[in-house]
Amino acid sequence: MSNHYDIIIVGTGAGGGTLAYRLAQSGKKILILERGPFMPREKDNWNTKVVFGSDRYHNPEVWYDKDGKEIHPGMSYFVGGNTKVYGAALFRLREKDFEKFQHRDGVSPEWPLKYKDFEPYYVEAEKLYQVHGNSGEDPTEPFRSQEFPYPAVSHEPRIEEVSDSLKFQGLKPYHTPVGIRLNEAQAYLSQCIRCNTCDGYPCLVQAKSDAEISAVRPAMAQQNVTLLTEAHVLKLHTSPSGREISSVVVEMRDPQSGQTQVQQFSGDVVVLACGAINSSVVMLRSANEQHPTGLANSSDLVGRNFMKHVLGSIIGVSKKPNPTLFQKTLSVNDFYWGETGYEYPMGQIQTLGKVSKEALEGNAAAYAPLTPEEVASHSIDWWLTVEDLPDFNNRVRVESDKIILEYTENNSESYDRLEQRWIEILKSIECGQSIMPNCSYFAGSGKTFTGRLPIDGVGHQVGTCRFGEDPKTSVLDLNCRAHDIDNLYVVDGSFFCSSGAVNPTLTIIANALRVGDHLIERMK
Ligand SMILES: Cc1cc2nc3c(=O)[nH]c(=O)nc-3n(C[C@H](O)[C@H](O)[C@H](O)COP(=O)(O)OP(=O)(O)OC[C@H]3O[C@@H](n4cnc5c(N)ncnc54)[C@H](O)[C@@H]3O)c2cc1C
């Protein structure tokens, strides 16, 4: 087998998987390298203790924070990447998210491309990932040239009640756009206890629109596409001029024996799509004579401006039971740009996948005198997202084999204000008898938190190789090609200039389709 390909894509998540889908029809010889295996389909996919309390679906690797404390990032290294466990809430950024905007703690910078440049690709992304939503409800909704491809997933009765109460308060709750393969889900509805819209769980019935199901598998149906799993890219070599990637160094693991061997591949074009943190890690670890501080790092920006959103999750317990199965159907953007008396953006609120008693048991003391069962049966569970501003000093660094995340939170006041405001509203609609932090994400890990996600929660990582026109102030050009290296692209969350305050994945998918069109042109 020749080790040379027209294009090599490293990583199969939202960015890499979608790009492979786009390029598969081109007839070009494509190699996809993925460090993980396929996610096993097994009953444990829905076992809360296994999902949240073990490393079965997460990598146990340890990173370090700026003070040398351990971070347990719980990344999912599988075909499909982190989309195997994501909640599939697939939002577009708002038009103003692409513009310069003043926040409490600084400026959210302007993007070199605008919403209108992404809009046609958002349309395609929503079709490919079967996004269900209703236009006209969200007061901050950006312009759309086409309706959602599928109608919104309707609220179950208890969430419908909450939606009505919020409307009565003058708010404008709307249906969360979710990527769900509803035909698959319907067939299993009676058995499905943790279906598509449940954050953190792999979907046993493959009804979640994740990158494996929506993009990688269709791409693999083409004969010109080869996928190698358990193929961990260690570094990239450059030609003597330093202007091209000459080879990709891969540690291949034999799943039967567990033995590893190092192989090299070459490609006319090489795309890193390892996620915003790991793409930077590969580039920094590939430092050589021509690129002494890391590949394509003449701007000193590789790994910098790391953003992950200021995130939190709270549980509101009410007197009424909440038997909802598919809870992730409601969002509120009324405070996205702030509120009267607070001129800065605050952020977004959405329901989470329903927490279960098993997910809370690891932190039972935090819920006393209520039992985890009482909390889970009567709670509505909320996810709060606030924009994290790019900061030159918030960065991914490598030190020999260590990965270090130097990060200081910003916009904390905006988060506190959003949380306080939401707690008041929950109390006023009788959904806040008790308000508690949602510890389910870290159940069993011994970690507790106050509602705010600790640094370990890096699911929304973006921004470490921002794109732009000026090689001094950006790592990638407008096509996501490295300014310094002619055949190197980065196609994952790395290219973001700011994070907005909605979940990032639809923008990563839309961008991968956009870059895919450029690559098809380039390779003609
Ligand atoms: C619990 C959870 C819930 C979430 N819910 C939502 C949601 O509802 N909506 C939303 O928009 N987003 C959500 N997200 C975020 C979403 O998962 C990410 O935005 C998205 O997966 C990022 O896509 P990516 O292509 O940048 O990276 P990833 O999806 O992480 O893909 C990177 C891929 O590269 C592979 N890889 C990494 N390093 C190497 C290497 N050196 N060699 C070879 N392969 C490598 C990885 O195994 C992986 O397959 C959630 C995340 C989590 C963890």
Side-chain angles (χ1 to χ4, degrees):
M1 180 173 75
S2 159
N3 279 1
H4 187 82
Y5 290 81
D6 295 320
I7 180 158
I8 297 179
I9 302 173
V10 186
T12 56
T18 306
L19 181 69
Y21 172 86
R22 182 58 132 212
L23 297 180
Q25 300 277 354
S26 69
K28 295 288 172 189
K29 196 176 160 203
I30 299 170
L31 174 65
I32 310 173
L33 298 167
E34 166 54 53
R35 73 185 283 173
F38 280 95
M39 170 78 78
R41 285 182 77 184
E42 54 195 10
K43 281 200 167 155
D44 275 347
N45 289 169
W46 288 344
N47 181 333
T48 300
K49 289 209 163 113
V50 173
V51 169
F52 291 116
S54 80
D55 287 325
R56 175 120 184 101
Y57 304 125
H58 303 119
N59 192 291
E61 72 190 326
V62 176
W63 300 345
Y64 297 89
D65 73 8
K66 59 181 185 314
D67 303 316
K69 290 206 190 94
E70 288 192 355
I71 297 175
H72 297 266
M75 302 282 289
S76 287
Y77 296 142
F78 291 97
V79 176
N82 277 305
T83 68
K84 288 308 291 178
V85 296
Y86 80 157
L90 291 173
F91 293 93
R92 298 177 176 206
L93 287 168
R94 330 279 90 184
E95 283 110 335
K96 277 198 275 178
D97 286 321
F98 293 84
E99 306 295 341
K100 189 173 167 187
F101 208 89
Q102 184 66 46
H103 283 244
R104 170 65 182 78
D105 284 355
V107 169
S108 174
E110 184 180 2
W111 290 43
L113 295 180
K114 302 296 176 184
Y115 178 78
K116 67 173 172 37
D117 301 306
F118 284 88
E119 204 282 335
Y121 295 103
Y122 276 133
V123 170
E124 287 192 60
E126 285 171 346
K127 286 183 184 156
L128 183 60
Y129 281 72
Q130 302 198 13
V131 179
H132 291 63
N134 283 352
S135 61
E137 298 176 334
D138 167 6
T140 67
E141 187 183 10
F143 159 79
R144 52 171 54 250
S145 60
Q146 288 184 29
E147 282 300 313
F148 281 99
Y150 301 90
V153 179
S154 48
H155 301 313
E156 290 183 34
R158 179 68 181 122
I159 302 301
E160 190 70 52
E161 267 176 21
V162 173
S163 175
D164 289 344
S165 306
L166 292 171
K167 284 182 190 160
F168 193 70
Q169 297 277 327
L171 296 171
K172 295 191 173 62
Y174 64 96
H175 287 83
T176 303
V178 285
I180 179 168
R181 299 152 59 84
L182 215 48
N183 283 341
E184 282 82 348
Q186 294 293 1
Y188 292 94
L189 215 54
S190 58
Q191 305 155 36
C192 186
I193 50 158
R194 302 267 165 251
C195 197
N196 173 281
T197 57
C198 289
D199 298 273
Y201 294 83
C203 182
L204 175 55
V205 296
Q206 300 191 330
K208 168 149 53 190
S209 300
D210 62 44
E212 178 204 345
I213 301 304
S214 300
V216 179
R217 284 189 183 270
M220 283 169 58
Q222 303 294 324
Q223 295 212 327
N224 51 315
V225 178
T226 305
L227 167 68
L228 297 179
T229 57
E230 310 213 35
H232 182 186
V233 171
L234 303 177
K235 62 186 333 199
L236 309 177
H237 287 313
T238 58
S239 60
S241 72
R243 289 296 312 179
E244 296 92 23
I245 301 297
S246 53
S247 64
V248 178
V249 183
V250 189
E251 184 182 72
M252 307 285 302
R253 181 178 172 278
D254 182 305
Q256 258 78 50
S257 67
Q259 287 191 334
T260 58
Q261 56 161 341
V262 174
Q263 278 189 39
Q264 298 202 21
F265 298 90
S266 59
D268 293 344
V269 168
V270 174
V271 180
L272 287 177
C274 304
I277 293 173
N278 278 311
S279 285
S280 288
V281 167
V282 173
M283 290 162 82
L284 294 170
R285 284 199 174 137
S286 303
N288 61 22
E289 213 175 302
Q290 289 77 21
H291 300 270
T293 60
L295 282 193
N297 197 17
S298 62
S299 61
D300 187 27
L301 286 173
V302 172
R304 293 196 185 264
N305 296 307
F306 162 66
M307 295 169 272
K308 62 169 196 59
H309 280 147
V310 186
L311 295 168
S313 177
I314 53 174
I315 289 177
V317 180
S318 44
K319 281 194 179 149
K320 274 196 182 171
N322 177 16
T324 306
L325 271 181
F326 305 100
Q327 188 177 253
K328 199 163 172 158
T329 56
L330 183 143
S331 292
V332 174
N333 272 9
D334 293 78
F335 309 108
Y336 198 88
W337 299 115
E339 62 177 340
T340 311
Y342 194 70
E343 62 195 291
Y344 304 112
M346 286 157 70
Q348 201 230 22
I349 297 150
Q350 57 186 264
T351 45
L352 263 181
K354 182 79 201 77
V355 298
S356 64
K357 71 176 165 57
E358 294 83 5
L360 302 177
E361 270 161 3
N363 285 295
Y367 300 104
L370 296 177
T371 63
E373 188 164 12
E374 285 165 336
V375 174
S377 59
H378 285 69
S379 73
I380 299 173
D381 318 293
W382 302 96
W383 183 248
L384 276 56
T385 306
V386 172
E387 177 157 351
D388 183 11
L389 297 169
D391 177 341
F392 183 76
N393 295 314
N394 283 349
R395 67 189 289 206
V396 179
R397 226 162 42 76
V398 295
E399 229 172 60
S400 58
D401 58 349
K402 272 190 184 171
I403 298 176
I404 298 160
L405 279 189
E406 294 182 354
Y407 178 79
T408 304
E409 185 179 281
N410 57 59
N411 272 346
S412 310
E413 183 187 290
S414 303
Y415 179 89
D416 292 341
R417 186 147 181 144
L418 183 69
E419 190 183 74
Q420 265 320 307
R421 190 81 174 88
W422 195 239
I423 289 172
E424 279 164 24
I425 289 168
L426 290 180
K427 288 192 168 149
S428 73
I429 62 168
E430 296 180 357
C431 287
Q433 203 80 12
S434 306
I435 304 274
M436 314 161 153
N438 176 3
C439 303
S440 61
Y441 269 81
F442 294 94
S445 69
K447 294 215 175 197
T448 52
F449 59 102
T450 56
R452 188 95 112 254
L453 227 62
I455 189 173
D456 310 60
V458 292
H460 287 195
Q461 57 187 269
V462 293
T464 49
C465 292
R466 67 154 60 145
F467 79 147
E469 283 169 310
D470 182 353
K472 290 200 181 72
T473 56
S474 54
V475 177
L476 308 173
D477 72 8
L478 296 190
N479 293 316
C480 291
R481 184 185 69 86
H483 287 298
D484 301 349
I485 299 182
D486 296 331
N487 65 343
L488 175 65
Y489 289 75
V490 183
V491 184
D492 51 27
S494 307
F495 81 105
F496 278 47
C497 299
S498 65
S499 66
V502 289
N503 313 45
T505 308
L506 194 73
T507 304
I508 297 172
I509 294 166
N511 186 57
L513 295 170
R514 186 182 72 86
V515 176
D517 281 357
H518 157 76
L519 284 171
I520 290 168
E521 273 304 305
R522 172 179 169 144
M523 293 190 299
K524 260 182 193 166

